[in-house]
Amino acid sequence: MPPTAALPNLAGPDPWMIAGIWVAAVITLAVYSFLYGDNPLYKVAEHLFVGISAAYGTVILYNTGVLPKLIFPLFSPDKVDLPGPNYLVLLPALLGLMFFGRFIPRWSWMSRWPIAFIVGLGSGAAIPVVFQANILEQAHGTVAPFGPLAPGAPALGVADLIGNWVLAAAVLTTLAYFYFSKPHTGNFGRASRLGVWFLMIAFGAGFGNTVMARVALLIGRLQFLVYQWAPLWWHH
């Protein structure tokens, strides 16, 4: 049974809480109605989700981006600890307005400039981070266990040593599978086939984690329907 705090207060029900539970339950059932087939009820829930998400994102963007980074620096600099108006914010504001040129065929070319700026800046900032996280750190994690231990570090156990060797074998054989400049024959071919097994294990584990996360969401919604929505039926 869930904790008492998770159940609705039926002794003195709050009308807004009751209405919220009913809305959440109806939308949940509308979404799960897709299991029977595509239907108008599911389409209403789908469009409602997209519309609310877009509206919520717009409000968040306005309050966390437009106000503190454009409106306040220009018209209320004291709210952002500026001695006076900062007119440099007009440059990014101009780039943002150029996006709307996409809606006017004559001026659609203007949207290319902010897009190019975002792609260039995003690539320059993301590539070093991705290289560090996905290549350097992975290589360090594969090689480091075989190096000398840090001063004062505890000795590795048998399970840790076996795990390190399996990890190194998985990395090397998987890289061998994706090395196409050499024919996959002999020992190299056997290593690449072993890499396929490691790939399948990794894909299976990833798929299992994805399914487990989706099942956890399903369990959460079922618990909501059983422990919060159903008691409303029993009470009345």
Side-chain angles (χ1 to χ4, degrees):
M1 290 293 293
T4 306
L7 298 175
N9 183 12
L10 300 179
D14 181 2
W16 288 107
M17 182 192 71
I18 300 299
I21 292 176
W22 272 97
V23 170
V26 170
I27 294 177
T28 299
L29 295 176
V31 172
Y32 285 134
S33 68
F34 184 76
L35 297 174
Y36 175 77
D38 198 0
N39 59 84
L41 191 62
Y42 170 76
K43 291 184 181 295
V44 170
E46 184 181 29
H47 287 75
L48 186 64
F49 173 76
V50 173
I52 292 177
S53 299
Y56 180 77
T58 301
V59 173
I60 293 298
L61 180 62
Y62 178 78
N63 285 280
T64 60
V66 177
L67 276 180
K69 299 181 184 301
L70 178 62
I71 304 300
F72 290 160
L74 284 177
F75 303 106
S76 301
D78 56 308
K79 293 184 178 181
V80 288
D81 298 328
L82 292 176
N86 182 12
Y87 296 104
L88 291 178
V89 298
L90 292 175
L91 293 177
L94 179 61
L95 286 173
L97 291 175
M98 291 172 69
F99 270 113
F100 293 95
R102 177 65 65 179
F103 298 107
I104 305 174
R106 291 178 52 191
W107 296 344
S108 61
W109 59 270
M110 297 176 62
S111 62
R112 301 174 187 171
W113 287 90
I115 292 176
F117 181 81
I118 291 176
V119 171
L121 180 62
S123 300
I127 289 176
V129 176
V130 172
F131 185 82
Q132 173 72 24
N134 294 343
I135 297 180
L136 295 182
E137 289 297 328
Q138 294 294 331
H140 179 267
T142 303
V143 177
F146 301 99
L149 296 176
L156 295 178
V158 177
D160 293 330
L161 290 174
I162 295 176
N164 293 339
W165 280 105
V166 171
L167 176 63
V171 172
L172 295 177
T173 54
T174 303
L175 291 177
Y177 172 74
F178 287 103
Y179 186 77
F180 302 111
S181 299
K182 177 180 175 59
H184 290 190
T185 58
N187 292 331
F188 187 78
R190 286 187 283 271
S192 65
R193 285 191 293 272
L194 180 59
V196 174
W197 282 92
F198 283 116
L199 281 174
M200 294 302 104
I201 293 173
F203 292 153
F207 181 74
N209 287 332
T210 302
V211 173
M212 184 174 60
R214 299 300 184 268
V215 171
L217 293 176
L218 173 62
I219 293 174
R221 297 318 298 164
L222 292 178
Q223 287 180 335
F224 164 76
L225 293 175
V226 172
Y227 296 128
Q228 296 193 38
W229 181 55
L232 298 180
W233 288 80
W234 302 335
H235 177 68
H236 294 291

